[in-house]
Amino acid sequence: LLTNNNIINDTGYKEHIASFRTQLQRGNSFSVYYQTALYNRNNALNGQQHLTGILIQQGKNNLIAEGELLATTNTTNLKLGSDVKRYKATYERLMGKLISGLKTEGEQSLFLRNTDSLQVGSYGYHQYGAFIKNIDSAQLRYKLEYTQRKDLLPEFTQLSSASLSNNFNASTDFTQKNGNRFSGSVTYREFTVNKQTASALKPERT
């Protein structure tokens, strides 16, 4: 439990943070964890976090997944709040000297006023992909990857599809014994805009 009651020399807020984390682990092959946290500032801003994840390594298979929920409420006259959901997962399988895999990730960030009207800055995305690469080597590494991403923007009280992209990427990294190094990457992208508002997306959110 962390508490800050110094409103003169510190942040200027009376803050209270309480967190709890538990984890179950068996060697390096299995791990699952859960974390929750509560936040309060001046009895006006309240926040809550839930975070959980799992790691499984069995034979030639490897799975890592994590999900998070964040919510805040503001009891001032503005009555602002946020609701954020994030997830990501990667599955890999060893096939001889190659590793193939699938991955997915996404986020939905809603900024609300009076619990129903979406504010500017709300956005979301869902991304899926597949890849194949060689086992990490001191001299040569290469990877082929395909991903599809769907971006969402606010429309009244909900998020709706704003754009869709398909990405193909090939990359390689070669290091000679004398220390010389060559790295290269080629990307091809197809981008379809479903809404004019998609132009408002920041590059890091596409």
Side-chain angles (χ1 to χ4, degrees):
L1 175 65
L2 301 177
T3 303
N4 168 32
N5 290 316
N6 189 333
I7 62 174
I8 298 177
N9 298 320
D10 208 331
T11 64
Y13 300 110
K14 293 182 179 180
E15 298 173 309
H16 304 278
I17 303 173
S19 63
F20 169 79
R21 182 183 176 95
T22 183
Q23 181 170 338
L24 176 63
Q25 184 167 340
R26 185 177 63 188
N28 294 322
S29 62
F30 177 81
S31 176
V32 61
Y33 59 89
Y34 170 74
Q35 175 180 304
T36 184
L38 299 173
Y39 175 80
N40 176 271
R41 187 175 72 187
N42 280 350
N43 293 320
L45 179 63
N46 299 301
Q48 188 174 22
Q49 178 207 43
H50 298 281
L51 176 69
T52 186
I54 189 170
L55 179 149
I56 300 175
Q57 294 179 336
Q58 185 173 6
K60 298 180 180 181
N61 302 287
N62 183 27
L63 173 67
I64 301 176
E66 184 177 81
E68 182 179 24
L69 299 175
L70 293 170
T72 63
T73 56
N74 191 324
T75 58
T76 64
N77 292 333
L78 295 177
K79 295 188 181 301
L80 299 175
S82 66
D83 184 4
V84 179
K85 301 180 179 69
R86 300 188 182 102
Y87 68 88
K88 59 181 178 180
T90 301
Y91 167 75
E92 295 182 343
R93 179 173 174 80
L94 179 63
M95 302 187 307
K97 295 183 179 181
L98 298 176
I99 298 174
S100 64
L102 302 171
K103 64 179 184 178
T104 181
E105 66 176 276
E107 179 176 338
Q108 177 179 281
S109 295
L110 306 180
F111 301 96
L112 310 166
R113 183 188 296 272
N114 297 324
T115 71
D116 57 358
S117 178
L118 291 182
Q119 302 299 294
V120 175
S122 298
Y123 78 100
Y125 74 91
H126 301 290
Q127 182 170 295
Y128 313 92
F131 61 87
I132 186 168
K133 62 182 180 179
N134 69 321
I135 299 175
D136 283 348
S137 165
Q139 284 189 295
L140 176 65
R141 289 181 296 173
Y142 56 85
K143 183 177 183 180
L144 298 174
E145 184 174 13
Y146 164 76
T147 58
Q148 182 183 86
R149 174 169 170 139
K150 181 180 181 180
D151 283 283
L152 310 171
L153 284 176
E155 185 173 16
F156 302 110
T157 61
Q158 64 182 6
L159 296 176
S160 59
S161 177
S163 65
L164 180 69
S165 64
N166 292 286
N167 305 275
F168 303 86
N169 179 262
S171 61
T172 184
D173 188 293
F174 176 70
T175 303
Q176 293 181 316
K177 293 182 179 180
N178 60 10
N180 294 328
R181 181 179 179 183
F182 170 79
S183 296
S185 179
V186 177
T187 300
Y188 172 77
R189 187 184 194 197
E190 295 179 344
F191 187 73
T192 303
V193 177
N194 299 327
K195 288 186 177 181
Q196 293 182 351
T197 51
S199 61
L201 283 171
K202 295 181 179 179
E204 64 270 19
R205 290 184 176 177
T206 65

